[in-house]
Amino acid sequence: MPESNAGSPAPNSTPSATVLFREKLWPTFWIWLIAVGLAGAGILVFAPISLAAGFTAAAVLFVIMAVLLMTSTPTITVTPETLQVGRATIERRFVGDATAFRGKEATAERGVRLNGLAYLCIRGWVDPVVRVEITDPSDRTPYWLASTRHPEELLAALRE
């Protein structure tokens, strides 16, 4: 990926104390139910050995899945100097127009209208997406597409 999309802070930028927008894309309730169900499968696998081993396996599996879900939860942060979506950070001077999509339009943006060079930070449990154009001439990435539960607030922060 181009340097402006790297997971480290953008060049010549300093951390800003002013955060205009921040959102963590936490898993929804039904994702946690799926994790509980998958962990429960540990009981079925280990119950023939012993019931205690089955419940222990289920608990360990759930803890592993919970840690993975929590550590892989991306954050969207907008400051006066940078935009960070997940592991990617770009200077705000390279951020162009931003557009929000919901429902069928969001599905089309994630599917048939998707450019293969776009940077994606999409979560299946979050329907709305925001498309942020990238104006950096040295960056081949045409835009970033990110899931967000608060697209209007993100757009307002990007327009500040």
Side-chain angles (χ1 to χ4, degrees):
M1 276 214 154
E3 288 182 18
S4 61
N5 288 346
S8 60
N12 301 324
S13 71
T14 57
S16 174
T18 306
V19 174
L20 303 174
F21 177 84
R22 175 172 284 147
E23 176 183 12
K24 288 216 40 115
L25 299 175
W26 293 109
T28 58
F29 178 72
W30 63 269
I31 295 295
W32 291 106
L33 283 179
I34 291 171
V36 168
L38 290 173
I43 297 172
L44 297 175
V45 172
F46 288 96
I49 297 170
S50 81
L51 202 52
F55 282 107
T56 302
V60 169
L61 285 171
F62 180 75
V63 168
I64 291 170
M65 286 185 274
V67 167
L68 289 174
L69 281 171
M70 292 173 66
T71 57
S72 68
T73 298
T75 301
I76 301 171
T77 306
V78 179
T79 68
E81 294 84 24
T82 62
L83 166 63
Q84 180 176 359
V85 178
R87 292 178 289 182
T89 302
I90 191 166
E91 294 177 43
R92 290 278 304 273
R93 64 188 174 112
F94 296 124
V95 172
D97 293 334
T99 311
F101 300 94
R102 292 179 180 271
K104 291 182 181 180
E105 290 293 313
T107 302
E109 286 296 317
R110 289 187 298 261
V112 296
R113 286 191 230 152
L114 182 64
N115 184 322
L117 296 175
Y119 171 76
L120 303 176
C121 185
I122 297 174
R123 294 299 179 258
W125 51 83
V126 180
D127 178 59
V129 294
V130 170
R131 178 179 167 159
V132 180
E133 302 295 328
I134 303 301
T135 61
D136 184 356
S138 65
D139 192 344
R140 291 183 29 197
T141 306
Y143 61 89
W144 289 8
L145 190 65
S147 295
T148 176
R149 289 187 175 96
H150 310 286
E152 290 78 18
E153 293 174 26
L154 176 56
L155 291 177
L158 288 172
R159 290 181 181 132
E160 281 188 28

